[in-house]
Amino acid sequence: MRFDLHVHTALSPCSTLGIGEILLHARARGLDGVCITDHDTMEIRNSLREGMQSDGLCVIFGMEYATPQGDFLLFGPFESLPPCMEATTLLHTVTLKGGAAIAAHPFRTARSVDEEIIRKGLCRTIEGINGRNQAFENRKIENWRTRYFLNECGGSDAHTLEELGRVVTTFRDPVRSRDELIQALNGGDYRPAWNKTLHYLPAHLPAAAFA
């Protein structure tokens, strides 16, 4: 299954991507699933039913949580998670509640993840490819790949329809719910990739984006 694990709707102040646009276009963009990860909120639950949609698309709710040590994609029972936690406290909470955490765009120039978090083993899954990163920022993952045992996923970090599905995470086993996603993420059997399906859609994105 191919998921875009990192998508922002208009519930994030920096995004213009509507919920209806996601539901209408995700399957045509080669996606089996989409994770809604708005900034520091899971308010999407008040606007949409989580889980399998009528067209077979799996929609899962998470969030992108900002800490002073970096940003993390979270999946679990975090609808009432308090804001402004330090990364160490946040990641211990994720483990305690049986959730999953992903270090988002770990080498982005303005929003990097503190390497100490990775060195201590507090977060073992990172975005190996982020669709909004500069190419050199994604390449810096190699610095950690050679030092730490990490799982790598990918996400578009979409804020517009054009970006939706640009980067996917491919799972070997079916993912049909939040619990199944958490189990899959913590299991480590997946890989990130640029979404070649977008080559065959009416062009919104330059082909160079997938080089």
Side-chain angles (χ1 to χ4, degrees):
M1 295 187 74
R2 299 202 299 177
F3 268 72
D4 189 339
L5 295 179
H6 192 166
V7 176
H8 296 277
T9 75
L11 293 171
S12 294
C14 51
S15 174
T16 61
L17 182 56
I19 297 167
E21 290 181 296
I22 295 170
L23 298 179
L24 184 61
H25 294 282
R27 294 294 277 166
R29 289 176 165 260
L31 297 174
D32 299 300
V34 172
C35 295
I36 307 299
T37 54
D38 286 310
H39 289 289
D40 299 308
T41 183
M42 294 177 70
E43 286 302 310
I44 186 66
R45 69 188 186 277
N46 296 321
S47 305
L48 181 64
R49 177 180 59 84
E50 187 175 20
M52 301 302 297
Q53 308 298 305
S54 59
D55 63 352
L57 180 74
C58 182
V59 177
I60 295 174
F61 301 158
M63 75 166 75
E64 182 174 3
Y65 191 104
T67 80
Q69 296 79 35
D71 299 341
F72 298 87
L73 304 180
L74 306 182
F75 300 99
F78 303 134
E79 287 82 353
S80 301
L81 200 64
C84 303
M85 283 192 283
E86 297 284 322
T88 298
T89 303
L90 172 70
L91 294 167
H92 282 314
T93 299
V94 170
T95 300
L96 183 65
K97 291 182 175 292
I102 300 167
H105 42 71
F107 284 93
R108 182 172 293 174
T109 302
R111 296 296 308 168
S112 61
V113 173
D114 188 341
E115 187 172 358
E116 188 68 12
I117 297 297
I118 305 302
R119 183 182 296 112
K120 290 180 176 179
L122 297 175
C123 185
R124 296 197 175 277
T125 304
I126 62 172
E127 271 190 325
I129 305 174
N130 178 284
R132 281 198 147 209
N133 272 4
Q134 298 294 319
F136 77 91
E137 293 170 322
N138 283 329
R139 285 196 298 269
K140 284 185 176 181
I141 293 297
E142 187 63 30
N143 295 335
W144 287 356
R145 190 177 289 131
T146 56
R147 289 187 234 170
Y148 309 112
F149 180 75
L150 297 171
N151 301 316
E152 292 184 46
C153 63
S156 69
D157 201 354
H159 289 62
T160 65
L161 177 58
E162 287 77 11
E163 295 169 314
L164 178 65
R166 179 184 290 187
V167 177
V168 298
T169 298
T170 302
F171 294 93
R172 185 183 302 274
D173 296 321
V175 174
R176 295 156 296 197
S177 67
R178 193 188 307 184
D179 286 344
E180 288 186 357
L181 176 67
I182 292 168
Q183 182 177 3
L185 286 173
N186 289 335
D189 190 9
Y190 46 84
R191 62 181 180 85
W194 292 101
N195 186 359
K196 303 298 184 180
T197 299
L198 296 188
H199 281 309
Y200 304 101
L201 293 176
H204 292 292
L205 294 170
F210 304 95

